[in-house]
Amino acid sequence: MRMRPTLSWTPGEDLPPGTTDLEPVADALGAGGVLVLTGAGISTESGIPDYRGEGGSLSRHTPMTYQDFVAGAQARRRYWARSHLGWRTFGRARPNAGHRAVAAFGRRGLLSGVITQNVDGLHQAAGSEDVVELHGALDRVVCLSCGVRSPRRDLARRLEEANPGFDPVAAGLNPDGDADLTDEQVAGFRVVPCAVCGGVLKPDVVFFGETVPPQRVEHCRELVRAATSLLVLGSSLTVMSGLRFVRQAAQAGKPVLIVNRDPTRGDQHALTRVSLPLGAALTTVADRLGIAIEQQATPGP
């Protein structure tokens, strides 16, 4: 299935209002078998902005599409210059209370799985296991010619060597690791090729307009089928890549619960939408369930 490059969504007047009542979320987690689906909103408290929330990056930034990336060298130069600078910030990001709470629920055996739309690796850094990275991860790169995958840190080193002194001031950072730079700031940036075949390198992430691997989608559908309920954390569900799992769960008669500050495209399918900050909300739920959340997190990506 192809990811629809839907960048915005307008809530309808018939959507149910949000609540601050966390009891349904605590009840669902207490019963176990919960599948968690997370979006960019869970990482904002780690310093990584989201796309569509208050101050979201879509107000100033259009994400790179797959079609633009493969179309020409100029687009790739712009992407890699901005992403190279943004990677430094991603590398310093650490899991927040929301990530640590999800990991704690998993250790207690309350979760059937975790699917994330994020590419920041913070769930794994917090201790969650077997996380399905729906849109890939920024800590890997892939060659579009030979298919070889390699660590992002290796590419970062090569780009540093090819661009000594490259240290522009960015206007902002985006959830995809793309820093806001002007055309003048990226004009002299040198892109390096695949070290194996000389081909074009791409981050191992699903760009807008790109196909999510079918086997990954089917694995997520299996997780939905096996779950007792679906808990959505910090996602507007604007793109179909996440919304389809909400629809699947609802069609199967499984409770859908959403914790997100703003309305989402999946609210009509939800038993409840809690409008609270994620870190505080999940910490409160953990307290009600008698679950301790580790305060010390391991390094991020």
Side-chain angles (χ1 to χ4, degrees), residues 50-287:
D50 64 9
Y51 283 118
R52 300 173 181 85
E54 184 178 352
S57 67
L58 284 183
S59 62
R60 65 175 191 278
H61 164 76
T62 299
M64 174 67 68
T65 68
Y66 180 76
Q67 291 76 16
D68 288 341
F69 186 84
V70 301
Q74 183 174 353
R76 292 192 291 274
R77 177 183 297 110
R78 183 173 64 254
Y79 174 81
W80 278 120
R82 294 159 62 119
S83 183
H84 179 56
L85 185 64
W87 173 248
R88 299 171 184 172
T89 300
F90 260 64
R92 292 192 296 268
R94 295 294 179 263
N96 61 54
H99 299 110
R100 296 196 297 272
V102 171
F105 298 149
R107 285 191 296 271
R108 183 62 70 91
L110 304 181
L111 306 183
S112 63
V114 177
I115 302 171
T116 186
Q117 296 172 286
N118 300 338
V119 295
D120 52 37
L122 292 178
H123 278 300
Q124 295 92 324
S128 290
E129 299 180 353
D130 300 323
V131 177
V132 180
E133 296 171 316
L134 189 61
H135 297 158
L138 276 177
D139 64 356
R140 302 185 301 268
V141 294
V142 60
C143 175
L144 295 181
S145 297
C146 68
V148 168
R149 284 175 168 77
S150 56
R152 177 65 178 263
R153 63 177 179 273
D154 292 349
L155 175 62
R157 174 183 51 78
R158 294 177 62 208
L159 288 174
E160 292 283 358
E161 294 171 352
N163 298 277
F166 180 76
D167 193 23
V169 176
L173 180 70
N174 305 298
D176 53 6
D178 188 5
D180 289 328
L181 297 176
T182 65
D183 290 342
E184 291 74 16
Q185 288 175 304
V186 307
F189 192 82
R190 293 183 57 195
V191 178
V192 298
C194 172
V196 176
C197 74
V200 171
L201 293 175
K202 172 186 170 295
D204 194 13
V205 301
V206 177
F207 282 149
F208 281 89
E210 188 177 3
T211 300
V212 178
Q215 65 273 21
R216 192 179 301 165
V217 174
E218 180 55 30
H219 178 42
C220 292
R221 289 197 181 279
E222 291 176 356
L223 289 174
V224 175
R225 286 191 285 268
T228 58
S229 61
L230 177 64
L231 175 60
V232 181
L233 303 175
S235 176
S236 67
L237 300 170
T238 298
V239 295
M240 189 57 65
S241 62
L243 180 62
R244 56 188 162 195
F245 304 125
V246 169
R247 290 178 173 175
Q248 178 189 351
Q251 289 168 1
K254 300 184 179 187
V256 175
L257 305 99
I258 300 174
V259 184
N260 196 64
R261 290 292 297 270
D262 301 313
T264 83
R265 198 175 170 196
D267 282 2
Q268 61 184 311
H269 304 293
L271 173 66
T272 184
R273 177 177 62 84
V274 178
S275 180
L276 287 172
L278 271 167
L282 295 181
T283 298
T284 298
V285 170
D287 288 343

